[in-house]
Amino acid sequence: MSRKLVSVYLFMLFVITKCYLLGVNGETKNYYIVFVGDQLANPESKASTHIGILSALKGSELDAKASHVYSYTKSFNAFAAKLSESEARELSDMDGVQSVILNQYRRLHTTRSWDFIGLPQTARRKKFESDIIVGVMDTGITPESDSFNDDGFGPPPAKWKGSCHHFANFSGCNNKLIGAKYFKLDGNPDPNDILSPIDTDGHGTHTSSTAAGSAVHNAELFGLAKGTARGAVPSARVAMYKVCWASSGCSDMDLLAGFDAAIHDGVDIISISIGGLTGIYTKDTISIASFHAMNKGILTVASAGNDGPNFGSVANHAPWLLTVAASGIDRGFQSKVILGNGKTVSGVGINGFKPEQKLYPITSGTDVAINTESQDIAGYCIEDTLDPSKVKGKLVQCKLGTWGSDSVIKGLGGIGTIIVSEVFLDTAQIFMSPATMVNSTTGETINKYIHSTRSPSAVIYKSEEVKIAAPFIATFSSRGPNPGTKHILKPDIAAPGVDILASYTPLQTLTGLKGDTQYSKFTIMSGTSMACPHAAGTAAYVKSFHPDWSPAAIKSAIMTSAYFCLGLHDKARQMSSRVNKEAEFAYGVGLLNPRRAINPGLVYDMNNMSYVQFLCHEGYDGSSIASLIGSKSNINCASLLPPLDSKDAINYPTIQLTLKKNMTTTTGIFRRTVTNVGQAISIYNATIRAPKGVNITVEPMTLTFSHASQIRSFKVTVSAKTMASTKVLVSGSLIWKSCRHVVRSPIVVYNPQD
Ligand SMILES: *[C@@H]1O[C@H](CO)[C@@H](O)[C@H](O)[C@H]1NC(C)=O
Ligand SMILES: *[C@@H]1O[C@H](CO)[C@@H](O)[C@H](O)[C@H]1NC(C)=O
Ligand SMILES: *[C@@H]1O[C@H](CO)[C@@H](O)[C@H](O)[C@H]1NC(C)=O
Ligand SMILES: *[C@@H]1O[C@H](CO)[C@@H](O)[C@H](O)[C@H]1NC(C)=O
Ligand SMILES: *[C@@H]1O[C@H](CO)[C@@H](O)[C@H](O)[C@H]1NC(C)=O
Ligand SMILES: *[C@@H]1O[C@H](CO)[C@@H](O)[C@H](O)[C@H]1NC(C)=O
């Protein structure tokens, strides 16, 4: 992951520079996505309408064609064009144009993990699993990888309309990897990538093998994490839509083209580990594209982002997405460090190097600065601040500044690196030389030792697998509250996203850092990027049992069945506010539990109109909602508004009440319906857990069902007193219990901080 986080940082710099350049030159042309109403038109007439609109703007068809980049005609009615800012503004006022969105670049946000969450290889499976297609939006894929071996697979299901051609450096598809396409509409050459669905980064290979990879025995990295690597649905098919590029990231234009193709091709579930922008729902490409996918019965599963642990950092928070946080599993990777005085300490990370000597001289970055002026910065082991003659042949202790100080030290002839950090200690970074990451207490111990003797020495051992307490939510995993609406709890759920072993590309070294020569078929990555395909694979697993369930029903089944903290399950698998003080804002409903998700008893179902009602209720106007859903005529919100006393119009499987600052007591009424998908005749009783200072009532307290698919309604009233300003949230839950099922919804009371 750390490499991923590095690219995140670099990418942020890239974005900032780019914005600045645009700011100083108003007439710079940029890419825009233009949404046009009327989904019903056929592809040809959509495309000619697009040229028509551009011709009206530009005054000539020739100029229109020069500015036109791409027409989205399959699942959307939209086009991409190169325009100046003033042209974009003019366009947005033109007849037939619904909205104009500036194309922006997003960033990428991996096998024991399946056993840990209780989906063993022997789990019950449906033959229908091989008809399920998981579409992945990512950096491409490695077709030769064992994870995409098609031994024993028949031809793709008949509904599949996708394709896979022969591309540069791409050996082609098979009956496992049934589709591969790439989208790079900005036309800029990418010296670090190949115009082909081939994965030169490793991220896409990793995420797709996690979601739906075939089982591969004896997977490992440096002998670590040994086991069988596999996806949630090893018999399912994979389709890759490459929308992310090594140098530029993932652009909105390409993403939309990927969704346009995937929806048309007939994928069942979309997995997208990309994010970073949190726009309003009607202006955000992922939210618009996934709404259209939902309309076609496809659930989109997305990563929550790696901007934690700050409150309000969660991305991809539209209510029709399943938003996934990253949790740790019970396995960590640590290295022993032995100091010359015999003291042993330990650090975190993955290094595959066995020491050749018993001890090496050790120093600290500050002590080997190239001159006194650069002493402070040399503490972070930044290139050009260190004196190579003093580094050569030594271990160097560095503070965590930029990533890759192990690369810097190795480049200067050093033996290895001890990195001192307060963050990222819950994930194992891969090193390209003997290295480990220690906390500041341990760092201080080592520093004292270095300065306590004339010739300090130490040795860093090869990493070992250790058992650690789990689950916990990774520090990096983005937290709620939802910045898009105060009525919906996000993230939805947590899934394993720390130190995940999965397939990798042969076209990239393990660290991607200068001087690294390590390659591997498998690698270990961390990020909500790795959590997302666990949930996407689980959604595919649920769909293989219930092919006719709506996206909302699949999502509800996954959410109400999660592992949580009530002692009903294995203690070691509890999510708890004692471990994660951000509680539900860190883990949503709790930890993914695939085996229970296929048999939830009840589901909170919704159709597309529920979301439209929700948007009306949130204050979106009829014309912007029309642009989101691609309707020609405006939506008449007045006719759609929900009952006035209801706090939210949406049948969400979780409940969030946001306190009003000017009231001593805030009361919310939440109307919900559940559909019986369990035994025809069943009785569910409500169990309420209310936190201190909060009253929760449910009416009725018993739901009686006499047949399958029967719908029952109930009303939850939540009253909460003003809380101390230091408290961000308190939570309780509503559980519907029958003899066979436990259907749990957390109830969160959020205390806004400003
Ligand atoms: C891609 O293929 C071209 C032509 O065969 C070859 O020259 C190039 O080295 C390949 N690139 C990679 C990264 O394999
Ligand atoms: C620092 O790491 C050491 C060794 O892993 C551990 O025992 C100690 O509790 C840690 N200290 C803090 C403050 O986290
Ligand atoms: C809802 O879905 C149905 C069936 O797919 C479709 O016909 C209808 O246009 C959709 N409505 C909206 C508002 O998207
Ligand atoms: C509290 O503020 C909201 C809007 O900020 C307002 O609608 C409401 O009337 C206020 N309530 C009281 C009791 O002042
Ligand atoms: C909860 O109910 C009790 C008993 O009816 C009442 O005294 C208390 O004020 C209520 N608290 C809230 C927050 O409504
Ligand atoms: C539900 O409550 C009723 C009445 O209290 C009780 O008879 C029944 O056993 C309960 N059912 C379950 C599944 O707990």
Side-chain angles (χ1 to χ4, degrees), residues 664-667 693-696 718-722:
T664 51
T665 304
T666 307
T667 299
V694 179
N695 290 350
I696 302 175
V718 184
S719 296
K721 289 221 158 69
T722 313

Side-chain angles (χ1 to χ4, degrees), residues 325-662:
S327 68
I329 62 171
D330 60 349
R331 177 190 68 197
F333 301 99
Q334 296 186 356
S335 288
K336 247 186 348 202
V337 177
I338 298 183
L339 305 178
N341 61 4
K343 197 171 166 54
T344 303
V345 295
S346 76
V348 177
I350 299 166
N351 90 62
F353 303 92
K354 282 208 182 96
E356 285 164 11
Q357 270 169 234
K358 220 166 145 219
L359 289 166
Y360 299 90
I362 183 171
T363 183
S364 76
T366 326
D367 294 343
V368 294
I370 199 151
N371 52 39
T372 43
E373 291 85 70
S374 54
Q375 214 160 24
D376 279 348
I377 188 152
Y380 296 93
C381 301
I382 309 284
E383 218 161 356
D384 303 331
T385 64
L386 304 174
D387 180 347
S389 68
K390 294 182 182 161
V391 170
K392 198 165 188 319
K394 290 186 187 146
L395 298 177
V396 184
Q397 172 154 299
C398 310
K399 287 182 269 189
L400 177 69
T402 57
W403 293 102
S405 42
D406 52 325
S407 167
V408 172
I409 297 301
K410 188 180 174 184
L412 296 175
I415 294 292
T417 315
I418 294 171
I419 299 161
V420 184
S421 172
E422 277 305 302
V423 290
F424 301 119
L425 287 160
D426 53 4
T427 56
Q429 164 181 14
I430 300 177
F431 298 107
M432 55 171 288
S433 59
T436 193
M437 193 186 266
V438 299
N439 64 25
S440 53
T441 321
T442 306
E444 196 40 47
T445 305
I446 299 172
N447 199 42
K448 277 205 181 113
Y449 163 69
I450 291 174
H451 298 105
S452 71
T453 167
R454 282 176 63 98
S455 49
S457 61
V459 63
I460 305 171
Y461 283 91
K462 180 173 182 286
S463 304
E464 292 169 337
E465 219 168 293
V466 295
K467 195 151 173 91
I468 56 174
F472 56 91
I473 297 299
T475 324
F476 62 73
S477 186
S478 288
R479 269 41 173 193
N482 187 340
T485 163
K486 48 184 200 237
H487 295 123
I488 289 180
L489 173 68
K490 289 280 176 174
D492 290 309
I493 196 164
V498 175
D499 301 347
I500 304 299
L501 182 84
S503 282
Y504 196 57
T505 174
L507 299 179
Q508 183 58 270
T509 61
L510 285 176
T511 66
L513 292 171
K514 201 167 95 189
D516 192 5
T517 53
Q518 308 175 99
Y519 290 89
S520 172
K521 280 184 161 186
F522 294 89
T523 195
I524 289 169
M525 290 191 189
S526 300
T528 53
S529 279
M530 282 68 238
C532 169
H534 278 91
T538 299
Y541 182 58
V542 174
K543 184 140 186 165
S544 72
F545 282 80
H546 310 286
D548 56 340
W549 278 11
S550 72
I554 295 175
K555 184 173 152 177
S556 168
I558 293 173
M559 287 172 67
T560 61
S561 62
Y563 290 113
F564 56 94
C565 174
L566 272 183
L568 278 169
H569 299 282
D570 182 352
K571 270 216 162 58
R573 290 176 178 170
Q574 291 177 3
M575 284 290 176
S576 155
S577 59
R578 271 168 300 152
V579 181
N580 300 100
K581 69 177 164 52
E582 306 88 5
E584 277 78 6
F585 285 164
Y587 46 71
V589 293
L591 181 64
L592 186 72
N593 183 354
R595 272 214 286 191
R596 269 196 61 216
I598 57 175
N599 190 10
L602 303 175
V603 291
Y604 293 78
D605 205 356
M606 273 185 278
N607 62 21
N608 51 11
M609 284 318 288
S610 319
Y611 296 115
V612 171
Q613 252 186 343
F614 161 81
L615 291 168
C616 286
H617 194 63
E618 287 288 309
Y620 285 84
D621 64 39
S623 71
S624 65
I625 298 174
S627 76
L628 170 82
I629 66 180
S631 146
K632 193 172 186 177
S633 45
N634 277 1
I635 296 296
N636 180 1
C637 274
S639 68
L640 287 173
L641 276 177
L644 278 177
D645 68 341
S646 186
K647 272 285 172 280
D648 59 350
I650 196 164
N651 196 32
Y652 217 73
T654 58
I655 287 175
Q656 176 168 311
L657 175 72
T658 301
L659 291 184
K660 291 205 178 82
K661 277 291 162 198
N662 57 353

